[in-house]
Amino acid sequence: MVRVCQYKAHRGEIMESASFCVAITGASSGIGRELALHFAKEATLLHIAGRNTTQLEQTQKDIQAINPNAQVRLHSFDVSDEVSSKQWCEAIFATRLDVLIMNAGIAMGEKENIQRHFEICHTNAMGVMYNTFYALEFFNKQEKVDGFKGHLVFISSIAALLALPNAPSYSASKQFVKALAESLSVSQKEVRITTICPGFIKTPLTDHLHPAIPQMSVKKAGAKIYRAIRKGKKCYAFPCFLAFGARFYNILPIWCKRALVRIFEIMGKL
């Protein structure tokens, strides 16, 4: 039977012991789903979260096809809601949690409007903030394993390395995530912090982008991110040429950036 946690139950309902437990937000599709499938090979308990219950159920089936012994808990909630985020953290820390991946996020899509800008910033920035600080309270109460009390992973973006002129709210929100993660990587000595900055990945978020823009397959990207997480990297930006280009863009004079805006405009809005 598929079990979906809506946070109306008591915390004690999820008390199974697990030797390796992973939780992922935004696991119903895209990068989050791919990471869930990679961790399925080794995790004994997986918490997967998203707003689309039907897609979460499909992710669960795919996980159990890889590892029939894996326990999977589905959590349907919106990360931008503080109360639901707190309840999600209470649920996933009912047993020891080894890895928490902050992957949930939204982008502009084809139709730009003011309200969508607000939603992007609230979901991508405050949604991460809510879950981060509630999770850290629980992480710091856990016992150390291999020198750490847990591993917190932030999925940011190449857009965090530069301010994309066609994606102001998305770039700002991802820069927020990157800055938060970097600050925590210095201050948190007992919780491992990893920041991931992917380039253009073929997911539902990027379906509307111009076909001339090279996009990495989500399977390839998921494999790269998984390896970076398991290696415990502090920060991983890829592909390398795009990460280098983003840093180079930052040192250009403003007149040169304005000239490049014409190129960016064909890309579509993130």
Side-chain angles (χ1 to χ4, degrees):
M1 177 183 295
V2 174
R3 180 178 181 181
V4 180
C5 303
Q6 296 283 359
Y7 304 115
K8 296 180 181 178
H10 293 291
R11 179 182 169 190
E13 288 186 358
I14 304 176
M15 293 298 294
E16 294 90 349
S17 61
S19 58
F20 185 59
C21 181
V22 179
I24 307 171
T25 64
S28 56
S29 64
I31 291 173
R33 178 183 178 279
E34 284 301 314
L35 291 176
L37 299 183
H38 278 284
F39 277 102
K41 301 168 187 175
E42 58 189 314
T44 48
L45 175 58
L46 275 156
H47 294 277
I48 56 174
R51 290 183 292 183
N52 189 315
T53 302
T54 301
Q55 290 182 337
L56 280 178
E57 290 173 354
Q58 184 59 54
T59 300
Q60 181 192 41
K61 292 177 183 177
D62 294 339
I63 288 170
Q64 293 181 326
I66 294 170
N67 181 2
N69 296 320
Q71 297 181 60
V72 185
R73 297 289 178 262
L74 277 61
H75 305 258
S76 179
F77 79 107
D78 186 344
V79 295
S80 66
D81 181 82
E82 181 184 356
V83 174
S84 295
S85 294
K86 182 180 180 182
Q87 292 172 338
W88 144 262
C89 288
E90 290 173 347
I92 63 178
F93 282 95
T95 59
R96 178 186 173 81
L97 184 68
D98 296 285
V99 182
L100 172 56
I101 302 173
M102 304 286 199
N103 171 72
I106 60 174
M108 181 60 68
E110 295 182 278
K111 296 181 180 180
E112 181 178 8
N113 58 70
I114 293 174
Q115 191 59 41
R116 187 61 173 176
H117 282 294
F118 297 159
E119 290 173 1
I120 289 170
C121 290
H122 195 194
T123 299
N124 295 1
M126 292 309 297
V128 171
M129 178 73 83
Y130 294 147
N131 285 276
T132 294
F133 287 100
Y134 283 124
L136 282 173
E137 284 190 339
F138 287 104
F139 268 131
N140 284 304
K141 293 175 183 178
Q142 296 187 152
E143 297 296 322
K144 290 184 183 179
V145 173
D146 295 329
F148 291 94
K149 293 184 175 182
H151 191 173
L152 187 54
V153 180
F154 295 87
I155 306 297
S156 182
S157 170
I158 284 289
L161 304 181
L162 75 163
L164 288 173
N166 62 333
S169 53
Y170 185 82
S171 296
S173 67
K174 290 301 185 178
Q175 286 186 29
F176 175 91
V177 172
K178 182 174 179 290
L180 173 64
E182 288 181 351
S183 176
L184 292 175
S185 70
V186 176
S187 63
Q188 293 291 320
K189 295 179 173 58
E190 296 182 324
V191 178
R192 190 190 298 275
I193 306 293
T194 293
T195 310
I196 306 293
C197 295
F200 296 105
I201 311 302
K202 189 63 177 176
T203 71
L205 284 182
T206 60
D207 280 344
H208 63 286
L209 295 183
H210 195 282
I213 300 169
Q215 297 187 54
M216 184 179 293
S217 74
V218 71
K219 287 187 177 295
K220 185 175 181 180
K224 286 179 174 290
I225 294 170
Y226 170 77
R227 288 194 295 268
I229 293 171
R230 296 306 281 144
K231 289 178 180 178
K233 289 192 174 185
K234 292 282 189 183
C235 185
Y236 179 55
F238 71 97
C240 293
F241 75 88
L242 195 54
F244 175 80
R247 293 186 174 96
F248 176 74
Y249 174 87
N250 280 328
I251 66 174
L252 294 175
I254 191 69
W255 64 266
C256 189
K257 289 180 179 179
R258 284 175 176 164
L260 288 172
V261 166
R262 295 178 182 177
I263 300 174
F264 284 124
E265 284 175 347
I266 73 165
M267 294 165 51
K269 296 187 180 294
L270 279 174

